[in-house]
Amino acid sequence: MLQKFSILCLLCVSMTLTAETFAQIDGLEDEIVLKGGRRFKGFVVREDEKSVYIRIGGSLVPFRKDQIEEIVGAPTSSLVEKEADILYWENALNDAMTKYTEALTDAKDEAAQLRIKRKMDECRHKIQEQFEQRYTTSLKRAENFASLGEFEQALEAYDLILGDDDINAISKSLIEQRISEVHCKKAEKYIDQLKNIEAIAEIDKAIDICPDYYRSYLLKSRILEAANNRTSKTADLLIQALNLGEDALSDAKKQEINLDVAHILHSEGKASNDRVIICKALEYYEKAIGLMPEDRKSVDEVVDTYLQLGQDFDTQSPEELELTVQGLQRAIELKPNLEDAFLMLGRIYLQLGQYANAVEQFEKVIVLNPGGKGNYMLLGRAYLKNGDLRESEEALLSEVSIDPQNFEAQLTLAEIYLKQKIYLNALKYAKQALELSPTTERPPEIIAASYFGEGGKKYREARLWYNRVLENQPGDMEARLRLAQMDMAEENYDSAQKSFEELSRQLTRMDSDTPVLAQDLSDELKYIYAECQTNLGAIQLRISSNPRVACTYHETALEVMPGFSKASRNLGITYAYMEEWGKAEEKFNDAIKFDPDDADNYIHLGSLYENLKQRELAIESYKRYIAKGGSDWNSVRSKLIENFKAPEASIPESPLAGLMDQEGGEAVITDTFTSSVMVQTETFATTTVLEQMESSSTDDSGMSMEEDLMTTDSLSAADEMTSPTATDEITSPVAFVDDSTSPVAFTDDSTSPAVAADEAVQE
């Protein structure tokens, strides 16, 4: 088939050249007049004794001389031209071409030049015809040798064809490719004989002769692979074969080669941890999928590679993360139910701070695998970061029900309940977390803070746990602050004052002799410093009746933390003590602005309005106190009904209503978020300073203002129950890991640390 194709190519070239030559001299033909008067035009090419050969169109037609009357325009030949004609008839065609070329140079008139060009074209045409005959014979001979495995004889035969002076470019290219094929066949024979060095030598010869023959590169890659040398060099050879064989290779073969390239690059990129090489491997995986989309093996391999690119996402640059996200999205496109891809995407979005996107991914994970350990933990963490506490709680409770040993889930639930002041639930999960990891620092801190938050009835337990925290962390400032606050609540003012002053000194000096400005402290330490200052102000008002000094302490606290609601409220109480009502009202409103959810701000403002006889404002403030979950909501409600004659229907329901056990007064522990605030087991009567002021100034009790202040805590009981966290954000020192497991397992006869500590209190 190739032989016939080659001959056709040669004929086409010859015919094309002839047509071009005659196109250049169109209109300059000779006029031939036959006997009888018939006329036509053509080109007189040559003549002999009996005939004249005339080219008419594309055909050479012989006419007997006795048929021709006249040839108009036929010039007289020069001597050199006649010599060329003689050589032509002697079949010395190449010599004839040389003479014709010389004659063309000497020709003076245009008609002579055109005639010689016609003869040169005819000579060239005859040379080509003779070459084709030789070519066909030699080609067939060479192919026979190659088919019989006589490669050396085949190469010699092909070399003879290449050495022919009359060979054209197309034929030369075809013969060079045939020679490359023979070298490749020799190489295959050497491969079968395990002579790889000789095989490589033959393939290199094939590539040198015909660099564009794709099979040479495929064969060389095969030898390297057989020698366990699958490297980037092998991949380069395969890529070269793909590029050169684009039109010759079948789709199946292309897919096979693309997969081979992808495998080689993938292995190399994985071994060297080179993302660039792995991404290049993905390019060839995708090409393989494009050729045969239904091939599940290719799909699985490309998906696995995309997942591998995301394994170290926590150390990737933003640019790398963007590519990883795109890859994972592509993996999901290929396999829509790919749980691992959704998990990885969710973790990446968490790292990028795109919490809503993270929630979306983890929800898809749970749809695919609702019982998987750690899945709800990740969803809960994403909800928490996104500020959705209720959804976070529900997810974490689901995680605990699936995996009770998940330390992180238990601890995070404790943090959420502590933030919401649901102290009994915070205790429950903090103690469970402590059982899972007895050496972790955070659970005892939450337990202590929860007991502290429950108020005076639990101070004993709170002291025990804060002391335990200090045993493990002697420098824990928050524990020392809470112990001092409990001293103050229990009227151990000297001890509380010394503790607050010592904490303030340490915070502004730390380990250095050079004082540190309080404004330069971290937010957490600023909070502790401001707490110390405002508590010192409250002590000054209580034990020294020195409101001006007290104001200085509160103002210092507000300078360090400008939005500190408690300091603003205490400053309002101090102004009320000095009967500076306008300033007191301003500071109470500032406290509400700083923390609109703190119920205690409203009860002090309501007491102020009540004292100033501003009935409607007092009623409104008391109602807001109840709605915000003030601990003494029942007493305030009774006051509104009995003293202010407020209709019961107009009084909002407290979030605490209905949570108290009818008989024992115990708060209900619930694992749902519906009980947004947890009631403590005792009711604290919140008696404001302003109520006492009003009593001393309006009734007949006989108690002086100073005596009233000495017997009434200027900080309400609710003040002492503020959340022990420094900020609203839940911060946990526990590292977020996917597989939190208990480092310590308790046997049936062991006692957990949390239970042991509580039993010590009872003893």
Side-chain angles (χ1 to χ4, degrees), residues 66-84:
D66 58 5
Q67 291 178 303
I68 299 174
E69 182 72 32
E70 182 184 11
I71 298 176
V72 180
T76 303
S77 301
S78 67
L79 182 60
V80 176
E81 184 179 349
K82 287 186 178 294
E83 290 178 358

PDB file of all heavy atoms in Angstrom, residues 66-84:
ATOM      1  N   ASP A  66       3.964  13.538 -42.824  1.00  0.00           N
ATOM      2  CA  ASP A  66       3.170  13.728 -44.036  1.00  0.00           C
ATOM      3  C   ASP A  66       1.756  14.214 -43.729  1.00  0.00           C
ATOM      4  O   ASP A  66       0.992  14.546 -44.636  1.00  0.00           O
ATOM      5  CB  ASP A  66       3.132  12.433 -44.853  1.00  0.00           C
ATOM      6  CG  ASP A  66       2.545  11.270 -44.043  1.00  0.00           C
ATOM      7  OD1 ASP A  66       2.088  11.505 -42.895  1.00  0.00           O
ATOM      8  OD2 ASP A  66       2.568  10.126 -44.531  1.00  0.00           O
ATOM      9  N   GLN A  67       1.366  14.258 -42.432  1.00  0.00           N
ATOM     10  CA  GLN A  67       0.056  14.809 -42.046  1.00  0.00           C
ATOM     11  C   GLN A  67       0.117  16.322 -41.848  1.00  0.00           C
ATOM     12  O   GLN A  67      -0.905  16.983 -41.835  1.00  0.00           O
ATOM     13  CB  GLN A  67      -0.420  14.166 -40.724  1.00  0.00           C
ATOM     14  CG  GLN A  67      -0.781  12.694 -40.842  1.00  0.00           C
ATOM     15  CD  GLN A  67      -1.203  12.134 -39.483  1.00  0.00           C
ATOM     16  OE1 GLN A  67      -0.452  12.207 -38.522  1.00  0.00           O
ATOM     17  NE2 GLN A  67      -2.403  11.571 -39.444  1.00  0.00           N
ATOM     18  N   ILE A  68       1.305  16.841 -41.652  1.00  0.00           N
ATOM     19  CA  ILE A  68       1.453  18.242 -41.267  1.00  0.00           C
ATOM     20  C   ILE A  68       1.776  19.084 -42.499  1.00  0.00           C
ATOM     21  O   ILE A  68       2.705  18.784 -43.271  1.00  0.00           O
ATOM     22  CB  ILE A  68       2.558  18.390 -40.223  1.00  0.00           C
ATOM     23  CG1 ILE A  68       2.202  17.584 -38.960  1.00  0.00           C
ATOM     24  CG2 ILE A  68       2.775  19.844 -39.868  1.00  0.00           C
ATOM     25  CD1 ILE A  68       3.299  17.550 -37.928  1.00  0.00           C
ATOM     26  N   GLU A  69       0.994  20.138 -42.666  1.00  0.00           N
ATOM     27  CA  GLU A  69       1.231  21.085 -43.744  1.00  0.00           C
ATOM     28  C   GLU A  69       2.274  22.112 -43.333  1.00  0.00           C
ATOM     29  O   GLU A  69       3.181  22.426 -44.094  1.00  0.00           O
ATOM     30  CB  GLU A  69      -0.080  21.788 -44.120  1.00  0.00           C
ATOM     31  CG  GLU A  69       0.028  22.769 -45.274  1.00  0.00           C
ATOM     32  CD  GLU A  69       0.217  22.058 -46.597  1.00  0.00           C
ATOM     33  OE1 GLU A  69      -0.323  20.921 -46.768  1.00  0.00           O
ATOM     34  OE2 GLU A  69       0.928  22.582 -47.452  1.00  0.00           O
ATOM     35  N   GLU A  70       2.081  22.645 -42.102  1.00  0.00           N
ATOM     36  CA  GLU A  70       2.964  23.729 -41.667  1.00  0.00           C
ATOM     37  C   GLU A  70       2.930  23.841 -40.144  1.00  0.00           C
ATOM     38  O   GLU A  70       1.904  23.589 -39.520  1.00  0.00           O
ATOM     39  CB  GLU A  70       2.511  25.042 -42.301  1.00  0.00           C
ATOM     40  CG  GLU A  70       3.383  26.231 -41.948  1.00  0.00           C
ATOM     41  CD  GLU A  70       2.836  27.532 -42.533  1.00  0.00           C
ATOM     42  OE1 GLU A  70       1.682  27.511 -43.028  1.00  0.00           O
ATOM     43  OE2 GLU A  70       3.536  28.544 -42.463  1.00  0.00           O
ATOM     44  N   ILE A  71       4.073  24.207 -39.592  1.00  0.00           N
ATOM     45  CA  ILE A  71       4.142  24.550 -38.154  1.00  0.00           C
ATOM     46  C   ILE A  71       4.599  25.998 -38.070  1.00  0.00           C
ATOM     47  O   ILE A  71       5.734  26.331 -38.440  1.00  0.00           O
ATOM     48  CB  ILE A  71       5.120  23.643 -37.400  1.00  0.00           C
ATOM     49  CG1 ILE A  71       4.662  22.182 -37.459  1.00  0.00           C
ATOM     50  CG2 ILE A  71       5.239  24.092 -35.933  1.00  0.00           C
ATOM     51  CD1 ILE A  71       5.619  21.206 -36.813  1.00  0.00           C
ATOM     52  N   VAL A  72       3.680  26.862 -37.606  1.00  0.00           N
ATOM     53  CA  VAL A  72       3.960  28.296 -37.533  1.00  0.00           C
ATOM     54  C   VAL A  72       4.626  28.625 -36.203  1.00  0.00           C
ATOM     55  O   VAL A  72       4.124  28.243 -35.136  1.00  0.00           O
ATOM     56  CB  VAL A  72       2.673  29.119 -37.697  1.00  0.00           C
ATOM     57  CG1 VAL A  72       2.978  30.613 -37.630  1.00  0.00           C
ATOM     58  CG2 VAL A  72       1.979  28.751 -39.001  1.00  0.00           C
ATOM     59  N   GLY A  73       5.727  29.314 -36.239  1.00  0.00           N
ATOM     60  CA  GLY A  73       6.392  29.763 -35.002  1.00  0.00           C
ATOM     61  C   GLY A  73       7.469  28.841 -34.537  1.00  0.00           C
ATOM     62  O   GLY A  73       8.136  29.096 -33.547  1.00  0.00           O
ATOM     63  N   ALA A  74       7.746  27.747 -35.211  1.00  0.00           N
ATOM     64  CA  ALA A  74       8.793  26.832 -34.770  1.00  0.00           C
ATOM     65  C   ALA A  74      10.137  27.438 -35.109  1.00  0.00           C
ATOM     66  O   ALA A  74      10.444  27.669 -36.282  1.00  0.00           O
ATOM     67  CB  ALA A  74       8.626  25.493 -35.454  1.00  0.00           C
ATOM     68  N   PRO A  75      10.947  27.723 -34.086  1.00  0.00           N
ATOM     69  CA  PRO A  75      12.227  28.378 -34.346  1.00  0.00           C
ATOM     70  C   PRO A  75      13.278  27.368 -34.785  1.00  0.00           C
ATOM     71  O   PRO A  75      13.114  26.163 -34.629  1.00  0.00           O
ATOM     72  CB  PRO A  75      12.575  28.972 -32.986  1.00  0.00           C
ATOM     73  CG  PRO A  75      11.948  28.034 -32.005  1.00  0.00           C
ATOM     74  CD  PRO A  75      10.690  27.530 -32.680  1.00  0.00           C
ATOM     75  N   THR A  76      14.383  27.900 -35.315  1.00  0.00           N
ATOM     76  CA  THR A  76      15.514  27.069 -35.690  1.00  0.00           C
ATOM     77  C   THR A  76      16.342  26.763 -34.468  1.00  0.00           C
ATOM     78  O   THR A  76      16.619  27.653 -33.658  1.00  0.00           O
ATOM     79  CB  THR A  76      16.382  27.803 -36.725  1.00  0.00           C
ATOM     80  OG1 THR A  76      15.566  28.149 -37.842  1.00  0.00           O
ATOM     81  CG2 THR A  76      17.525  26.929 -37.195  1.00  0.00           C
ATOM     82  N   SER A  77      16.747  25.508 -34.251  1.00  0.00           N
ATOM     83  CA  SER A  77      17.492  25.109 -33.062  1.00  0.00           C
ATOM     84  C   SER A  77      18.936  25.545 -33.172  1.00  0.00           C
ATOM     85  O   SER A  77      19.521  25.554 -34.253  1.00  0.00           O
ATOM     86  CB  SER A  77      17.439  23.588 -32.890  1.00  0.00           C
ATOM     87  OG  SER A  77      16.123  23.157 -32.776  1.00  0.00           O
ATOM     88  N   SER A  78      19.519  25.887 -31.939  1.00  0.00           N
ATOM     89  CA  SER A  78      20.947  26.191 -31.859  1.00  0.00           C
ATOM     90  C   SER A  78      21.723  24.884 -31.816  1.00  0.00           C
ATOM     91  O   SER A  78      21.158  23.802 -31.613  1.00  0.00           O
ATOM     92  CB  SER A  78      21.239  27.026 -30.616  1.00  0.00           C
ATOM     93  OG  SER A  78      21.008  26.237 -29.462  1.00  0.00           O
ATOM     94  N   LEU A  79      23.014  24.981 -31.959  1.00  0.00           N
ATOM     95  CA  LEU A  79      23.862  23.794 -31.939  1.00  0.00           C
ATOM     96  C   LEU A  79      23.807  23.099 -30.584  1.00  0.00           C
ATOM     97  O   LEU A  79      23.702  21.871 -30.503  1.00  0.00           O
ATOM     98  CB  LEU A  79      25.313  24.193 -32.276  1.00  0.00           C
ATOM     99  CG  LEU A  79      26.314  23.032 -32.338  1.00  0.00           C
ATOM    100  CD1 LEU A  79      25.914  22.016 -33.405  1.00  0.00           C
ATOM    101  CD2 LEU A  79      27.721  23.568 -32.610  1.00  0.00           C
ATOM    102  N   VAL A  80      23.856  23.883 -29.496  1.00  0.00           N
ATOM    103  CA  VAL A  80      23.819  23.287 -28.138  1.00  0.00           C
ATOM    104  C   VAL A  80      22.480  22.600 -27.902  1.00  0.00           C
ATOM    105  O   VAL A  80      22.408  21.507 -27.332  1.00  0.00           O
ATOM    106  CB  VAL A  80      24.085  24.369 -27.069  1.00  0.00           C
ATOM    107  CG1 VAL A  80      23.956  23.774 -25.667  1.00  0.00           C
ATOM    108  CG2 VAL A  80      25.448  24.997 -27.272  1.00  0.00           C
ATOM    109  N   GLU A  81      21.418  23.223 -28.387  1.00  0.00           N
ATOM    110  CA  GLU A  81      20.089  22.631 -28.206  1.00  0.00           C
ATOM    111  C   GLU A  81      19.990  21.312 -28.947  1.00  0.00           C
ATOM    112  O   GLU A  81      19.404  20.343 -28.452  1.00  0.00           O
ATOM    113  CB  GLU A  81      19.029  23.608 -28.698  1.00  0.00           C
ATOM    114  CG  GLU A  81      17.601  23.111 -28.458  1.00  0.00           C
ATOM    115  CD  GLU A  81      16.567  24.109 -28.927  1.00  0.00           C
ATOM    116  OE1 GLU A  81      16.924  25.260 -29.253  1.00  0.00           O
ATOM    117  OE2 GLU A  81      15.386  23.728 -28.980  1.00  0.00           O
ATOM    118  N   LYS A  82      20.603  21.272 -30.209  1.00  0.00           N
ATOM    119  CA  LYS A  82      20.572  20.022 -30.958  1.00  0.00           C
ATOM    120  C   LYS A  82      21.362  18.935 -30.246  1.00  0.00           C
ATOM    121  O   LYS A  82      20.970  17.766 -30.214  1.00  0.00           O
ATOM    122  CB  LYS A  82      21.118  20.259 -32.355  1.00  0.00           C
ATOM    123  CG  LYS A  82      20.163  21.031 -33.251  1.00  0.00           C
ATOM    124  CD  LYS A  82      20.697  21.106 -34.657  1.00  0.00           C
ATOM    125  CE  LYS A  82      19.720  21.832 -35.562  1.00  0.00           C
ATOM    126  NZ  LYS A  82      18.483  21.076 -35.728  1.00  0.00           N
ATOM    127  N   GLU A  83      22.476  19.323 -29.612  1.00  0.00           N
ATOM    128  CA  GLU A  83      23.257  18.340 -28.847  1.00  0.00           C
ATOM    129  C   GLU A  83      22.406  17.777 -27.700  1.00  0.00           C
ATOM    130  O   GLU A  83      22.438  16.575 -27.407  1.00  0.00           O
ATOM    131  CB  GLU A  83      24.527  18.985 -28.305  1.00  0.00           C
ATOM    132  CG  GLU A  83      25.563  19.311 -29.372  1.00  0.00           C
ATOM    133  CD  GLU A  83      26.786  20.000 -28.788  1.00  0.00           C
ATOM    134  OE1 GLU A  83      26.783  20.249 -27.552  1.00  0.00           O
ATOM    135  OE2 GLU A  83      27.722  20.293 -29.541  1.00  0.00           O
ATOM    136  N   ALA A  84      21.651  18.650 -27.054  1.00  0.00           N
ATOM    137  CA  ALA A  84      20.770  18.203 -25.959  1.00  0.00           C
ATOM    138  C   ALA A  84      19.706  17.254 -26.477  1.00  0.00           C
ATOM    139  O   ALA A  84      19.376  16.237 -25.837  1.00  0.00           O
ATOM    140  CB  ALA A  84      20.122  19.406 -25.280  1.00  0.00           C
TER     141      ALA A  84
END
